Amino acid sequence: MSQLTYRTAGESHGPALISLIEGMPSGVTIDATFVDAELHRRQGGYGRGARQRIESDRATFLSGLRHGETIGSPIAVQIANADSRLDDNEKTPPVFRPRPGHADLAGSIKWLTTDCRATLERASARETAARTAAGAIAQCLLRAFGIECFGFVRGALAATSSVAPTHATLSQLRIARDASEVYCPDVAASTAIVQSIHQAKIDKDTVGGVCEVHVFGVIPGLGSCASSDLRLDARLAGAVMGIQAFKSVEIGLGHEVARRTGSQVHDAIHFDGARTGESHLGFVRPTNNAGGLEGGMTNGMPIVVRGAMKPISTLLRALPSVDLRTHEPTQSQYERSDISAIGAASVVMQSVVAFEVARALREKFGGDSLGEMRANYEAFLTAARALGAPR
Ligand code: EPS
């Protein structure tokens, strides 16, 4: 079974979140410490609300592992909610005044109720803990193929970092990112983002931002131009847009491609026979405007994806709304929330991007065990390197 999929279940204030991952080959070492570290990172970042002082997310593996290695069966992961109170009507009352920007209004109409509670419980970004667990597990598979993912905060409001991640600077960047309160590996931009979030708190407002993920070590040929649903760029965009509050996705240059001519966009192709051991197999591209994807397939350059998150839709100062029971004008209901979750969003984005790359890797190299998958991978690389080589 080489189709890698996952599904999550769970409400924000239900007993637990669940992630069910299918299609992992056997023999992959799951670094549970890394999974928990990613869950911990997702809980952090300047601007988070009181909920994160209640929760301390940890992954409990209910199936699919033996002695810390995958066995080829579905992997069920549980993350317990400490703030579990879904059936307590006093602590978790109905919500009749929908928050502009949240799923409240659309969901209440969809499910034919004037109470937005059920909608908001599932729509809540608390669910991203389960996606982070799935993404961290996918990253354990990617590591076995030398693939590394790096997600960070590119900017928020007026602040933008000009940092240009490379494979060679990855460890330094990780240190810089993890030292930043908003997961931005650029001290000046990080300070400015923290300041903006601080100001938003004073103003009873909220802040979104831009996250970026780079994936290093991906060989050419993942994804496919054969069908639109197989294009890896389309899948990455879908995965990123599937994160709560994300409103746009860019790959490589993104929107900037529309402001340049072809000669300023397309990455020249050179060949360096001394570098065939690198992920690009010697096909060196001096620029990476394509973000590692051409024709919906990886081209051996790092994958670069950016996503913009809107500001959190629960504001301390409330916004104009309507009471769903009477249709009278009112103010949106306040629910405890974050001022900004942009740092957390960068962890989630890294996770969902990693999962899509792992899914594409499974599709191309199949196999039921890691050994079989790796043998297929090596055979492909040997054949690819032989293409066009002088005989
Ligand atoms: C969220 C509202 C807040 C956030 C939550 C997302 O939850 P609560 O109402 O319990 O304070 O903290 O995010 C998380 C709990 C999390 O772990 O990321 C929302 O409405 O989307």
Side-chain angles (χ1 to χ4, degrees), residues 342-363:
I342 192 64
S346 71
V347 181
V348 179
M349 189 169 149
Q350 175 178 318
S351 303
V352 301
V353 165
F355 201 93
E356 290 311 315
V357 176
R359 193 200 299 268
L361 196 72
R362 290 290 292 136
E363 275 168 7

Side-chain angles (χ1 to χ4, degrees), residues 30 40-41 46 78 123 161 195 275 285 308 312 349:
I30 299 301
H40 182 69
R41 233 161 49 77
Y46 188 78
Q78 177 178 299
S161 164
Q195 182 52 40
R275 296 179 64 185
R285 317 296 290 269
I312 300 277
M349 189 169 149

Side-chain angles (χ1 to χ4, degrees), residues 12-13 42 48 51-52 83 85 99 102 124-126 336-338:
S12 179
H13 303 99
R42 193 206 65 90
R48 294 287 256 160
R51 177 76 185 269
Q52 300 314 321
D83 196 16
R85 52 179 160 86
R99 291 160 293 174
H102 212 284
S124 164
R126 172 86 188 130
R336 181 186 63 193
S337 191
D338 308 307

Side-chain angles (χ1 to χ4, degrees), residues 243-314:
I243 304 171
Q244 290 82 339
F246 274 62
K247 294 302 265 185
S248 97
V249 187
E250 295 184 317
I251 290 182
L253 270 189
H255 282 109
E256 178 63 20
V257 296
R259 289 184 280 269
R260 299 190 188 185
T261 59
S263 61
Q264 297 169 316
V265 168
H266 302 302
D267 308 307
I269 304 173
H270 302 296
F271 186 74
D272 183 345
R275 296 179 64 185
T276 57
E278 295 179 41
S279 62
H280 51 54
L281 310 182
F283 291 97
V284 179
R285 317 296 290 269
T287 52
N288 185 23
N289 293 335
L293 287 149
E294 289 172 311
M297 293 168 284
T298 54
N299 63 9
M301 293 295 282
I303 295 174
V304 181
V305 193
R306 243 178 335 280
M309 183 194 200
K310 67 188 179 186
I312 300 277
S313 47
T314 312

Side-chain angles (χ1 to χ4, degrees), residues 116-381:
C116 309
R117 172 60 64 186
T119 297
L120 73 87
E121 283 289 333
R122 179 60 185 159
S124 164
R126 172 86 188 130
E127 182 266 350
T128 60
R131 280 196 249 184
T132 300
I137 289 166
Q139 286 172 78
C140 294
L141 174 67
L142 293 179
R143 279 180 187 172
F145 292 87
I147 299 173
E148 298 206 63
C149 305
F150 178 70
F152 65 102
V153 172
R154 171 61 77 190
L157 296 178
T160 301
S161 164
S162 57
V163 72
T166 63
H167 207 170
T169 55
L170 195 52
S171 11
Q172 281 163 266
L173 281 169
R174 279 207 179 108
I175 293 168
R177 175 197 67 189
D178 295 345
S180 157
E181 283 185 281
V182 284
Y183 304 171
C184 174
D186 171 327
V187 176
S190 171
T191 308
I193 297 167
V194 169
Q195 182 52 40
S196 309
I197 298 171
H198 179 71
Q199 189 58 47
K201 188 174 183 181
I202 294 167
D203 298 342
K204 296 192 161 100
D205 216 326
T206 57
V207 176
V210 174
C211 304
E212 194 166 299
V213 177
H214 292 235
V215 187
F216 298 102
V218 187
I219 60 164
L222 303 191
S224 176
C225 61
S227 287
S228 59
D229 59 330
L230 299 178
R231 286 179 176 263
L232 185 54
D233 44 10
R235 289 175 172 199
L236 289 168
V240 173
M241 282 299 280
I243 304 171
Q244 290 82 339
F246 274 62
K247 294 302 265 185
S248 97
V249 187
E250 295 184 317
I251 290 182
L253 270 189
H255 282 109
E256 178 63 20
V257 296
R259 289 184 280 269
R260 299 190 188 185
T261 59
S263 61
Q264 297 169 316
V265 168
H266 302 302
D267 308 307
I269 304 173
H270 302 296
F271 186 74
D272 183 345
R275 296 179 64 185
T276 57
E278 295 179 41
S279 62
H280 51 54
L281 310 182
F283 291 97
V284 179
R285 317 296 290 269
T287 52
N288 185 23
N289 293 335
L293 287 149
E294 289 172 311
M297 293 168 284
T298 54
N299 63 9
M301 293 295 282
I303 295 174
V304 181
V305 193
R306 243 178 335 280
M309 183 194 200
K310 67 188 179 186
I312 300 277
S313 47
T314 312
L315 275 69
L316 267 163
R317 62 159 106 155
L319 293 173
S321 185
V322 165
D323 190 316
L324 294 179
R325 295 163 300 183
T326 61
H327 295 178
E328 290 298 319
T330 182
Q331 294 291 101
S332 56
Q333 191 154 323
Y334 181 70
E335 285 279 304
R336 181 186 63 193
S337 191
D338 308 307
I339 304 297
S340 179
I342 192 64
S346 71
V347 181
V348 179
M349 189 169 149
Q350 175 178 318
S351 303
V352 301
V353 165
F355 201 93
E356 290 311 315
V357 176
R359 193 200 299 268
L361 196 72
R362 290 290 292 136
E363 275 168 7
K364 178 132 182 73
F365 299 110
D368 290 303
S369 64
L370 180 60
E372 187 184 355
M373 189 179 172
R374 205 196 300 273
N376 295 340
Y377 175 88
E378 294 299 341
F380 171 74
L381 279 185

